[in-house]
Amino acid sequence: MRFKAIFITCVCTLLILTACSTKPPTDAPLVLSLGAEPSMLNPILSTDSTSSSVNGYIFNGLLKVNPDLELVPDLAQSYQVSADGLTFTFTLKPNITWHDGTPFSTEDILFTYQRILDTTTNTVRRSDYIINGQPIEIMVIDSQTIQFKLPTAFAPILNRFTMGIIPKHIFENEDINTSAYNQNPIGTGPFTFTRWEPAQFVLLKRNPNYFDTLPKLKTVLLKIIPDQNTALISFEKEEVYSAGIPGKDFERIKQVETFNTFQFYDLAYTFLGFNCKNPLFESPVLRQAIAMSINKQSIVDGILLGYGKPAHLPTSPEMWTYPKTHFNYDYNPQQALTQLQQAGFKYDAQNNILYKDNQPVTFKIITNKGNKDREKAAVMIQDNLKNIGIKVAVQLMEWSSFIAVVNANQDPKDYDAVILGWSLGLDPDGYSLWHSSQYPQGFNFVGYQNEQVDQWLHAGRTTIDRDQRKVIYANLYNEIAQDAPYVFLYYPESLVGIHRKVTGLSPAGPAGLFNPIENIFITQ
């Protein structure tokens, strides 16, 4: 479970003729924008979507996701599963080499997973490979064959084999947490890392020795443009070939013949998360009242301009586990205020101030600078909570500083509340986000603790039957929604513009539009 970008392929059908072309490819680079500075170009250490999107060009996993959201071989040529479902044996494709020419082998795979399981590695992915307290066992059979043995059934395991593999010969004598290769990566992927100019760009070149289909593109230039409006201006000037389109500009961009536009729902949601280790938010009473006091529909209508849906659960309506009926907090600030007063909070109606233990209730929301939807949502939440006497400050932070605060390995963390978004994986397992063990060094950065949720998380990942898992996750989602460690704000609709010169796109959907990147090229 992490932020990640997945790249996709193009199918020429009557429905998407504008996305496909019979024109031959040129040597022109694909110029795209990055919404933030990457933090870590190492797939086992990165925690943010920007870094993951860059890593996707450079590294490969044993498996990958295709445009139909199916898991298919990547580094692996094939794999076999034992009758009991506990042993997975992978055979590699032949003639794979690292970008520096070193032969790739199963020793690299073993090394990668050993580093993830090593408690000295600063990774949030360790829990993906530990089941009921026991790590998976990994055995090299030979240079082309590797075996994974599970201690018990583990439903998400195939999804976990999409993890990018890192080179043993590079990192075995390095401190993996501080190595310079985390900013100068060597992978096996379709593109090689060439240059990273902070606050400017990341430059990638085609890997001429790629083991799979050779990319049509020779160069990918990723310009670092943290501000959404600036990125849109660059797109309209044809300085970058793709951009997310704000709702207010979407209809206008749709009329420009130079561009193709796409709209679809990702497996994603945006949320207001509370620091549950902060005494103000330790009890769910205030969290629940805040959930009732935020007008989600107004956020969707006023900020997203209808290109989205109010969110109520820690999953996406696009996921197979999304329940038909579910818990949600209706917008009702008066009821919220009543419940707060019943719980011992005092409300000074004359001065519009809410008190807890004779202290005014006030807190600060942090979010990343440049994401206009989140910035506006923070201000709208600030205005909503003023109606029940809560004073909210808003702080906008540069992405790197923002992520450093959220991911700090300390207890308690140094923030009150945060607006952020999750891009979900194909499997509903949310252990790394919600299990109490995943704090402070994990994706459960709000420090949420709920024994019943912990039990359901264990059950969800060790139950194989799909129908049983749906029941487990429906219970899990409703418990979290009612407990309100997050206020689930909205499911954003992805609005994307792509220059008509960009060809080889796949159908719009959660897998993205550039999957696989090898199919993409630029025409005249």
Side-chain angles (χ1 to χ4, degrees), residues 153-228:
F154 188 56
I157 189 62
L158 285 177
N159 290 277
R160 302 299 183 244
F161 291 133
T162 61
M163 168 58 58
I165 303 302
I166 60 173
K168 177 181 179 180
H169 70 282
I170 293 295
F171 286 105
E172 62 181 337
N173 296 316
E174 296 264 330
D175 180 341
I176 195 168
N177 299 314
T178 60
S179 173
Y181 287 101
N182 294 330
Q183 280 73 44
N184 188 25
I186 292 173
T188 55
F191 289 88
T192 64
F193 174 84
T194 300
R195 187 179 171 193
W196 177 0
E197 285 293 332
Q200 295 185 53
F201 63 83
V202 176
L203 180 63
L204 307 173
K205 296 288 188 181
R206 179 168 65 194
N207 175 9
N209 301 312
Y210 189 47
F211 64 89
D212 210 328
T213 303
L214 198 67
K216 294 180 172 64
L217 293 165
K218 286 189 175 181
T219 306
V220 176
L221 178 63
L222 305 171
K223 291 188 174 182
I224 299 167
I225 310 176
D227 185 82
Q228 289 178 327

Side-chain angles (χ1 to χ4, degrees), residues 10-13 16-22 260 500 502-505:
C10 178
V11 178
C12 290
T13 70
I16 54 168
L17 286 175
T18 55
C20 303
S21 173
T22 57
N260 289 311
R500 287 182 183 270
V502 180
T503 304
L505 303 175

Side-chain angles (χ1 to χ4, degrees), residues 24 35 44-45 94 140 156 245 278 380 388 416 425 427 442 481 492 508:
I44 75 171
L45 301 180
V140 168
I245 310 297
N278 182 325
M380 187 171 285
I388 61 168
D416 300 328
D427 190 272

Side-chain angles (χ1 to χ4, degrees), residues 6 88 163 171 177 186 213 380 385 447 455 472 480 490 509 512:
I6 311 173
F88 294 75
M163 168 58 58
F171 286 105
N177 299 314
I186 292 173
T213 303
M380 187 171 285
L385 297 187
Q455 292 174 6
I472 291 167
I480 293 173
Y490 54 84

Side-chain angles (χ1 to χ4, degrees), residues 279-412:
L280 186 64
F281 297 121
E282 281 181 335
S283 167
V285 175
L286 181 60
R287 306 194 307 250
Q288 293 166 345
I290 290 173
M292 284 187 280
S293 302
I294 294 174
N295 193 334
K296 300 176 186 179
Q297 190 63 55
S298 289
I299 292 176
V300 170
D301 294 340
I303 297 174
L304 304 183
L305 301 183
Y307 294 108
K309 305 172 187 175
H312 303 290
L313 300 177
T315 186
S316 163
E318 307 301 302
M319 289 285 287
W320 58 270
T321 48
Y322 195 86
K324 292 181 180 179
T325 59
H326 58 77
F327 181 89
N328 66 275
Y329 285 104
D330 293 325
Y331 175 59
N332 193 337
Q334 188 56 52
Q335 179 64 26
L337 195 53
T338 298
Q339 290 185 197
L340 285 169
Q341 291 173 303
Q342 291 173 346
F345 288 76
K346 306 297 182 184
Y347 179 61
D348 178 352
Q350 182 175 354
N351 296 299
N352 189 31
I353 300 175
L354 184 72
Y355 289 90
K356 179 186 181 185
D357 301 329
N358 297 318
Q359 295 296 318
V361 176
T362 179
F363 67 92
K364 181 168 64 177
I365 296 172
I366 62 172
T367 194
N368 56 300
K369 187 184 297 184
N371 188 310
K372 299 305 179 185
D373 291 345
R374 293 178 190 171
E375 291 179 12
K376 293 175 183 177
V379 173
M380 187 171 285
I381 290 168
Q382 181 184 49
D383 195 53
N384 284 166
L385 297 187
K386 190 185 301 180
N387 294 329
I388 61 168
I390 297 176
K391 183 179 180 181
V392 176
V394 175
Q395 182 181 2
L396 306 179
M397 304 178 69
E398 296 293 344
W399 179 255
S400 57
S401 301
F402 173 66
I403 287 298
V405 170
V406 170
N407 287 339
N409 186 16
Q410 65 183 63
D411 180 13

Side-chain angles (χ1 to χ4, degrees), residues 222-286:
L222 305 171
K223 291 188 174 182
I224 299 167
I225 310 176
D227 185 82
Q228 289 178 327
N229 290 336
T230 303
L232 179 61
I233 292 169
S234 295
F235 175 66
E236 293 191 74
K237 289 182 177 179
E238 303 181 48
E239 295 170 345
V240 298
Y241 287 159
S242 178
I245 310 297
K248 65 182 178 61
D249 298 296
F250 191 63
E251 289 302 318
R252 177 176 62 81
I253 296 296
K254 282 175 70 174
Q255 307 307 314
V256 181
E257 291 187 2
T258 308
F259 308 129
N260 289 311
T261 55
F262 306 86
Q263 56 188 114
F264 55 92
Y265 279 95
D266 282 318
L267 305 177
Y269 63 83
T270 299
F271 63 90
L272 169 69
F274 302 110
N275 184 348
C276 297
K277 298 292 187 175
N278 182 325
L280 186 64
F281 297 121
E282 281 181 335
S283 167
V285 175
L286 181 60

Side-chain angles (χ1 to χ4, degrees), residues 417-434:
V418 57
I419 293 180
L420 196 50
W422 283 121
S423 178
L424 306 173
L426 299 182
D427 190 272
D429 177 39
Y431 188 97
S432 62
L433 268 69
W434 299 110

Side-chain angles (χ1 to χ4, degrees), residues 4-5 55-56 75 106 224 297 315 428 442 463 478 492:
K4 66 178 179 179
N55 287 335
L75 291 167
T106 48
I224 299 167
Q297 190 63 55
T315 186
T463 299
N478 285 313

